[in-house]
């Protein structure tokens, strides 16, 4: 039932984003801090990786393109050379050594890939999607008549991230025995 609700809300959000890509940027802004947690669904329609954030990001990009906004100012050259190129180069270099990862990281489930394709997905594609999300948010703010309307979602995102950090980090600290020694 919950998966059906998440799928339905995601599809509704994607349709709403097609009306105005700035709504998608707001949703991305609010969802990004929660995306890495266990509370956020990591699959929609049973497909892993097809999560609400990725679907809303794709719909936002499609809406941006359909509205005829140009890509001339979408990706500045400096951003391409300073962010995107190093991520791609590092991903390609590291993918050749994906099978040399120390087994301990698999045991404690820090990493979830076993081959070069999984390495590229986790270590290269995810950061590139974060850069794309930041670019979409920047375009929405630039094309907004009242940029102060984005202040509330930014504050909500910061508070959500802070609450998530306190909720996730604090129990780990108490389990490690630090609370017993104090």
């Amino acid at each position: 039932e919950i998966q059906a609700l998440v799928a339905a809300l995601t599809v509704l959000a994607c349709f709403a984003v097609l009306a105005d890509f700035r709504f998608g940027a707001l949703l991305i802004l609010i969802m990004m801090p929660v995306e890495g947690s266990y509370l956020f669904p990591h699959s929609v329609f049973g497909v892993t990786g097809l999560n609400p954030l990725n679907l809303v990001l794709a719909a936002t990009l499609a809406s941006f393109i359909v509205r005829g906004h140009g890509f001339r100012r979408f990706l500045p050259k400096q951003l391409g050379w300073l962010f995107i190129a190093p991520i791609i180069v590092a991903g390609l270099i590291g993918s050749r050594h994906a099978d040399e990862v120390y087994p301990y990281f698999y045991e404690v489930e820090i990493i979830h890939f076993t081959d070069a394709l999984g390495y590229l997905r986790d270590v290269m594609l995810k950061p590139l999607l974060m850069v794309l999300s930041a670019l979409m948010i920047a375009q929405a703010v630039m094309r907004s008549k009242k940029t102060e309307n984005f202040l509330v979602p930014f504050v909500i995102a910061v508070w959500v991230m802070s609450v998530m950090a306190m909720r996730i980090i604090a129990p780990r600290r108490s389990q490690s025995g630090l609370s017993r020694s104090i």
Side-chain angles (χ1 to χ4, degrees):
E1 293 178 10
I2 292 178
Q3 289 181 353
L5 176 67
V6 168
L9 289 175
T10 302
V11 170
L12 285 174
C14 289
F15 282 129
V17 166
L18 292 177
D20 189 2
F21 82 96
R22 291 176 292 188
F23 180 69
L26 287 173
L27 289 174
I28 291 168
L29 180 64
I30 293 171
M31 284 192 285
M32 276 184 67
V34 186
E35 190 264 335
S37 75
Y38 65 90
L39 298 173
F40 194 79
H42 296 285
S43 66
V44 174
F45 305 119
V47 179
T48 303
L50 189 65
N51 59 30
L53 181 65
N54 291 345
L55 285 173
V56 170
L57 180 60
T60 304
L61 186 61
S63 177
F64 183 78
I65 292 169
V66 167
R67 297 282 174 227
H69 299 296
F71 279 109
R72 193 179 82 216
R73 292 180 51 200
F74 182 74
L75 180 66
K77 275 192 241 179
Q78 298 89 348
L79 183 75
W81 286 110
L82 295 175
F83 278 94
I84 295 173
I87 291 172
I88 291 173
V89 170
L92 293 174
I93 291 171
S95 67
R96 297 185 309 178
H97 303 284
D99 57 343
E100 300 172 13
V101 174
Y102 190 63
Y104 173 76
F105 295 117
Y106 296 113
E107 293 170 9
V108 294
E109 297 181 3
I110 292 177
I111 58 173
H112 302 287
F113 57 84
T114 56
D115 59 349
L117 189 61
Y119 181 89
L120 289 174
R121 179 196 66 222
D122 290 354
V123 177
M124 187 175 78
L125 185 63
K126 283 184 182 181
L128 288 175
L129 288 177
M130 288 180 66
V131 171
L132 180 62
S133 298
L135 286 169
M136 291 308 303
I137 293 167
Q139 288 297 319
V141 171
M142 276 182 15
R143 297 183 192 282
S144 179
K145 292 178 181 153
K146 295 175 77 176
T147 57
E148 61 270 6
N149 290 341
F150 282 87
L151 187 59
V152 171
F154 274 114
V155 171
I156 290 172
V158 168
W159 277 98
V160 167
M161 194 176 350
S162 301
V163 169
M164 292 294 294
M166 288 186 298
R167 176 81 175 127
I168 292 172
I169 295 173
R172 287 185 185 163
R173 206 179 287 163
S174 65
Q175 290 174 356
S176 68
L178 290 176
S179 64
R180 285 183 268 155
S181 63
I182 294 178

